[in-house]
Amino acid sequence: MSSEGFLKEMQTIGEKFLLKLQKLPKADPVEIVSFCVVLLFIVTVLLLMIIACSCCCYSCCSCDGHPDHRRRKIQVRPAAH
C-alpha cells in the first residue's frame, strides 16, 4: 500500500469516527455502550503495545541508550561424547 493510499484511508477512518461522535448524543443506550466498549478495546490494545515496546527496548538497552551485554543469553550446546 502506498503512503498516499494509507493517508487517504486514515483520513476516511477519522471522518467516520468524527461523524459517529457527532451522532452519539442522539443514539440509543445500546449503541452508546457498544461504541464505548469498542473504544475501550482500541485504547487497551494501544496501551499494551506501548508497554510491550517499552519493555522490549528497556531489556535490550540500558537507560543511557547503550546495550547491556551482561544480559545476553548464552546458548548451551550438548557435550560431545
Side-chain angles (χ1 to χ4, degrees), residues 9-37:
E9 187 69 28
M10 291 303 293
Q11 183 180 4
T12 305
I13 291 172
E15 288 172 357
K16 287 180 182 178
F17 182 72
L18 287 176
L19 184 64
K20 192 69 161 177
L21 282 177
Q22 290 172 352
K23 291 181 179 180
L24 204 56
K26 296 180 260 179
D28 56 333
V30 174
E31 191 173 355
I32 293 172
V33 169
S34 63
F35 182 75
C36 290
V37 167

Side-chain angles (χ1 to χ4, degrees), residues 18-64:
L18 287 176
L19 184 64
K20 192 69 161 177
L21 282 177
Q22 290 172 352
K23 291 181 179 180
L24 204 56
K26 296 180 260 179
D28 56 333
V30 174
E31 191 173 355
I32 293 172
V33 169
S34 63
F35 182 75
C36 290
V37 167
V38 169
L39 196 62
L40 181 66
F41 175 76
I42 292 170
V43 169
T44 303
V45 168
L46 291 175
L47 182 66
L48 289 175
M49 284 177 49
I50 290 170
I51 291 171
C53 289
S54 65
C55 288
C56 180
C57 290
Y58 182 75
S59 68
C60 292
C61 303
S62 61
C63 293
D64 59 357

Side-chain angles (χ1 to χ4, degrees), residues 55 58-62 68-74:
C55 288
Y58 182 75
S59 68
C60 292
C61 303
S62 61
D68 189 4
H69 297 291
R70 292 176 291 166
R71 293 186 182 184
R72 191 171 25 184
K73 294 181 180 177
I74 300 172

